[in-house]
Amino acid sequence: MKKIAKRIAAAVLAVCLAASLCGCDRGYIMTVDGMEIRNGVYLTFQQSAYSKAQTELNNQNSETSADASADDTTSKESVPLTEETIAGVSGSQWIKDETLKAVVRFVAVQRKCEELGIALTDEEQAEINEQVNATWDDKDSYAQYYYGFDTMGEYYESKGIAKESYKQIAQVSKLQQKLFLHYYDEGGEFEIPESEFNEFLTGKYARFKYISAPYTDAEGTKLESDEDKKAVRDDLQKYADRLNNGEKPVDVFYDYLTDQATARAEAQAETKEDFGDLTKDEWIKQQVDSADITKEETDEDLDYVVTKDNTNLETILTEFIFDAEIDGKAKIVAGENAAYLVIKEDITKQNKWLDANREGVMSEMKGDDFQSMLDLFGQNYEKTIDESLVNSKYSPEKLNPKK
């Protein structure tokens, strides 16, 4: 009986805990243009505004850091974000203003989509439902490691954001994407001309194929002399010549990788005395096969796309890639740690990458304009706000780290 009583108590405790976690998302914090805003929707936007406030403060401080002493910097570290001054107002007020702005945009998207007849398809809704259910139900190592919860859903519940609020935000996010394309995609009122799109694309992104040949010998020992390094570049030039004479990159790149694996295996074989049941040549072939070198199906599969400010490449290589002429020719670049065979390609002709990233690039170009448009749509919306919730129970101060 005691064991049964304990199980019942545990079950009741679990129910009470779940109720306490999501209880603050059972009501509505405000009404905007007649649309009731769930507490959890507001809290989601508030968390985003809080993070944005920290970024804004960091940028603000970086502009004046040259004039600030080390002591000033130390003393400010203990000041809660909500008590800082951001753009002339308190951090708390800045966060509340940004949260309200996000809520108004949230409503504006829905109202404008209603007006234009833009809606989610059954397939889109099913995809959202699947994603939300996975967030709530699937074990998540990230949530376990960083937040101490089994699922991200449990984490959101602990922050007062219930599943329904999360789902609503996901739905409106998809509607916003469709509304953006309605205005800026082909045939839209503010359609982005292809020439403008391509100019932005080529100014920020670069597409290229490359081979990196480290300044090391077949055994992996670092090369020190200029003569040895030149030999690496000369060897790489042979592959560049093949490419410039019309051979396909998938063939040449595969041959390069295979030749390097063969050279390494041959170097190892020179110091090996016993090859077991294999001959020396058979053993070398076995080592090359075990390298599992894959030949790409198309030349496009060899492409890399980077931005100038987001690359892990050597500086000299990055500069070459962005400065080089787009002519499809293979060239050799002498880096500090390696030689590089590089083919600069036309980013506007990379169909696979563009299919996956076109909307993202459009958003980079017109995202701010679109947000301003949403602000304009909602500028006269009537708002009824529960001030006690905004300023007390759900005030930005609740997000400050506990001391």
Side-chain angles (χ1 to χ4, degrees):
M1 286 295 292
K2 286 184 179 179
K3 288 184 179 179
I4 294 175
K6 286 183 179 179
R7 289 173 184 167
I8 293 175
V12 171
L13 178 61
V15 172
C16 290
L17 176 60
S20 68
L21 291 176
C22 65
C24 55
D25 197 6
R26 289 179 173 175
Y28 301 92
I29 196 168
M30 64 180 65
T31 301
V32 177
D33 195 43
M35 184 179 294
E36 292 182 314
I37 305 301
R38 295 175 62 92
N39 295 339
V41 169
Y42 181 86
L43 291 172
T44 300
F45 291 137
Q46 184 190 63
Q47 286 189 8
S48 178
Y50 190 94
S51 296
K52 188 176 178 181
Q54 185 62 67
T55 301
E56 191 75 13
L57 179 65
N58 292 343
N59 293 338
Q60 180 178 289
N61 288 343
S62 67
E63 295 175 359
T64 59
S65 60
D67 300 325
S69 68
D71 291 339
D72 291 336
T73 303
T74 303
S75 63
K76 284 199 167 190
E77 288 179 353
S78 61
V79 177
L81 179 60
T82 53
E83 294 179 18
E84 295 279 7
T85 298
I86 303 175
V89 299
S90 70
S92 181
Q93 188 60 51
W94 194 94
I95 293 166
K96 284 187 283 191
D97 291 344
E98 283 296 309
T99 305
L100 182 58
K101 185 186 295 184
V103 169
V104 170
R105 289 172 178 171
F106 176 80
V107 174
V109 168
Q110 296 176 80
R111 292 297 190 226
K112 204 64 184 178
C113 284
E114 290 169 1
E115 177 186 327
L116 297 171
I118 297 173
L120 299 178
T121 65
D122 291 342
E123 183 180 356
E124 289 167 341
Q125 185 58 68
E127 186 177 330
I128 290 172
N129 290 341
E130 182 179 353
Q131 182 262 322
V132 171
N133 288 336
T135 299
W136 245 253
D137 301 332
D138 292 356
K139 300 288 186 181
D140 190 292
S141 58
Y142 182 89
Q144 293 167 359
Y145 183 82
Y146 286 100
Y147 305 127
F149 293 96
D150 284 340
T151 70
M152 284 302 298
E154 289 180 0
Y155 167 73
Y156 289 128
E157 293 275 9
S158 75
K159 297 298 182 181
I161 302 165
K163 187 176 184 178
E164 189 56 39
S165 291
Y166 185 88
K167 180 187 291 187
Q168 189 178 12
I169 290 172
Q171 291 167 333
V172 176
S173 177
K174 184 62 178 179
L175 285 173
Q176 178 170 309
Q177 178 188 358
K178 299 179 76 166
L179 182 62
F180 174 84
L181 293 176
H182 169 83
Y183 283 111
Y184 294 102
D185 206 2
E186 185 178 353
E189 184 177 350
F190 307 110
E191 177 183 349
I192 301 174
E194 195 68 13
S195 59
E196 182 183 342
F197 180 85
N198 287 341
E199 182 180 0
F200 179 88
L201 196 62
T202 54
K204 182 168 185 179
Y205 294 88
R207 169 195 171 198
F208 62 102
K209 299 175 177 67
Y210 85 116
I211 292 173
S212 174
Y215 288 140
T216 57
D217 62 21
E219 296 176 327
T221 303
K222 185 176 180 179
L223 302 175
E224 299 293 347
S225 73
D226 291 339
E227 183 179 356
D228 286 340
K229 293 178 181 180
K230 181 178 182 301
V232 172
R233 294 194 294 272
D234 290 344
D235 181 65
L236 203 55
Q237 183 65 52
K238 297 174 185 177
Y239 299 93
D241 292 340
R242 289 175 57 187
L243 289 162
N244 292 334
N245 286 328
E247 293 191 50
K248 292 175 65 63
V250 287
D251 295 328
V252 176
F253 278 49
Y254 176 78
D255 287 349
Y256 172 80
L257 295 175
T258 303
D259 291 345
Q260 293 302 302
T262 301
R264 288 193 297 271
E266 289 175 344
Q268 293 171 11
E270 290 302 316
T271 60
K272 189 175 179 64
E273 297 180 357
D274 183 9
F275 299 99
D277 296 332
L278 302 176
T279 65
K280 179 180 178 180
D281 289 342
E282 288 173 339
W283 184 87
I284 290 173
K285 183 179 184 304
Q286 183 185 70
Q287 299 308 301
V288 174
D289 291 342
S290 67
D292 197 23
I293 300 168
T294 301
K295 184 174 183 178
E296 299 294 350
E297 294 184 6
T298 69
D299 290 340
E300 273 197 359
D301 293 331
L302 294 167
D303 285 350
Y304 289 86
V305 176
V306 296
T307 59
K308 189 175 295 186
D309 57 353
N310 185 21
T311 171
N312 294 321
L313 304 174
E314 266 198 71
T315 300
I316 190 171
L317 179 57
T318 299
E319 291 175 348
F320 175 85
I321 289 167
F322 280 90
D323 294 341
E325 181 183 355
I326 302 173
D327 57 9
K329 296 295 184 181
K331 299 178 176 67
I332 304 301
V333 178
E336 182 179 343
N337 303 308
Y340 304 98
L341 182 158
V342 185
I343 308 173
K344 176 76 174 286
E345 305 277 15
D346 187 349
I347 182 69
T348 67
K349 300 293 194 297
Q350 221 297 3
N351 297 324
K352 287 185 179 180
W353 188 87
L354 283 174
D355 287 345
N357 295 278
R358 185 178 184 85
E359 289 182 21
V361 175
M362 291 170 61
S363 182
E364 285 185 78
M365 296 176 66
K366 300 297 181 180
D368 290 344
D369 291 347
F370 180 63
Q371 294 301 318
S372 296
M373 187 191 303
L374 295 179
D375 293 338
L376 186 62
F377 291 156
Q379 65 180 347
N380 295 321
Y381 286 166
E382 183 178 342
K383 309 174 191 70
T384 304
I385 301 173
D386 188 330
E387 299 291 349
S388 66
L389 291 179
V390 169
N391 297 318
S392 182
K393 185 175 182 180
Y394 302 140
S395 70
E397 283 75 10
K398 303 289 186 180
L399 297 179
N400 286 329
K402 299 292 189 295
K403 293 183 179 180

